[in-house]
Amino acid sequence: MSLPIVEKQQVLMAPSILAADFSSLGTDIVDVEKAGADMLHIDVMDGHFVPNISLGPPIIESIRKTSSLLFDVHLMISHPLDYVESFKQAGADHITFHLEAESDVNKTLDKIRSCGCSTGLSLKPATPAESLKPYLEELDMILVMTVEPGFGGQSFMHPMLEKIQTLREMIDSSEKQILLEVDGGINAETAQLVKEAGANVFVAGTSVFRAEDMSLAIEQMKS
């Protein structure tokens, strides 16, 4: 499954299963798909690159049976190159990894592409937007962390808006179809800010999966 083409002003929602109820994960995923999610954001953490451990390929393989959504897999791990094939086999459609990880960036991008997935690079808050310039031609999506990666439920970091604007300018100058995704503290209020800055894919965990009305929460962020 390929990343969708996004028209100007269009917004895609990628709810993060990190905030789902893991005792009923399959049900939550079905519900969020019905509520209007465009893709499913799956955070993978190794306890080394970030101070938390989440899930691995077996979980992705199990939930792949429950959903037809595009699986947007975000590898917050030290050695992404070593695991690309495992996540593809488990059901990943898109794989994003961190510029700050220890694997060679070009080799990892090549591996993701050769496995049939679309490619993404993510930046921690302290990493400047310009760091991505050498890799723009190889990217299908850029993910800006608007919190420190590792734990859900953190507050949005407003200084990241300038980084989003810079990346939007870089993407527009490249004339490539590159999605600009944001992750961290996204709700109806901050969604408006990041949209104005140029983002078009919103990752939201708590504000979707723990909302009283998932459909309304997604609709408010999209609008």
Side-chain angles (χ1 to χ4, degrees):
M1 186 184 303
S2 301
L3 287 172
I5 301 296
V6 177
E7 303 297 333
K8 193 171 183 180
Q9 300 302 315
Q10 183 184 2
V11 168
L12 302 177
M13 284 299 303
S16 170
I17 65 168
L18 197 62
D21 181 351
F22 273 65
S23 69
S24 57
L25 185 55
T27 301
D28 271 13
I29 290 170
V30 169
D31 289 345
V32 83
E33 185 170 354
K34 290 178 180 176
D38 299 290
M39 57 183 81
L40 199 66
H41 190 79
I42 302 170
D43 289 306
V44 177
M45 298 178 278
D46 62 0
H48 183 260
F49 183 75
V50 292
N52 196 8
I53 297 173
S54 58
L55 51 84
I59 299 294
I60 295 175
E61 186 175 6
S62 67
I63 63 174
R64 181 74 279 179
K65 303 167 188 173
T66 71
S67 177
S68 60
L69 286 173
L70 183 144
F71 278 15
D72 167 24
V73 176
H74 176 197
L75 301 182
M76 289 179 272
I77 64 179
S78 295
H79 302 282
L81 179 59
D82 298 343
Y83 297 95
V84 168
E85 285 191 29
S86 296
F87 284 103
K88 169 58 180 176
Q89 290 170 5
D93 298 298
H94 170 88
I95 296 177
T96 292
F97 66 100
H98 274 262
L99 184 66
E100 307 90 352
E102 296 178 33
S103 295
D104 180 272
V105 175
N106 286 310
K107 288 181 181 178
T108 307
L109 290 170
D110 288 345
K111 187 68 172 179
I112 293 170
R113 188 81 69 192
S114 69
C115 284
C117 291
S118 50
T119 59
L121 271 174
S122 182
L123 300 176
K124 288 183 176 182
T127 305
E130 290 77 12
S131 302
L132 285 182
K133 277 187 177 179
Y135 311 105
L136 272 185
E137 289 301 314
E138 303 302 321
L139 298 179
D140 299 302
M141 184 152 69
I142 294 169
L143 170 56
V144 178
M145 294 303 301
T146 45
V147 298
E148 289 295 340
F151 292 91
Q154 298 182 63
S155 297
F156 180 84
M157 299 171 70
H158 286 78
M160 294 303 102
L161 291 170
E162 185 176 346
K163 181 188 286 189
I164 296 166
Q165 291 171 343
T166 300
L167 286 165
R168 169 48 59 197
E169 292 168 3
M170 288 167 55
I171 291 169
D172 290 347
S173 296
S174 76
E175 299 184 352
K176 279 204 68 189
Q177 169 68 24
I178 302 173
L179 296 178
L180 183 52
E181 185 174 45
V182 289
D183 183 1
I186 302 300
N187 53 38
E189 179 184 349
T190 56
Q192 181 64 32
L193 297 176
V194 296
K195 182 179 181 182
E196 290 173 357
N200 50 19
V201 183
F202 301 165
V203 177
T206 303
S207 55
V208 171
F209 278 104
R210 300 182 191 178
E212 289 187 14
D213 186 331
M214 284 188 186
S215 297
L216 179 60
I218 289 174
E219 181 183 345
Q220 287 177 335
M221 280 183 268
K222 281 188 171 184
S223 62

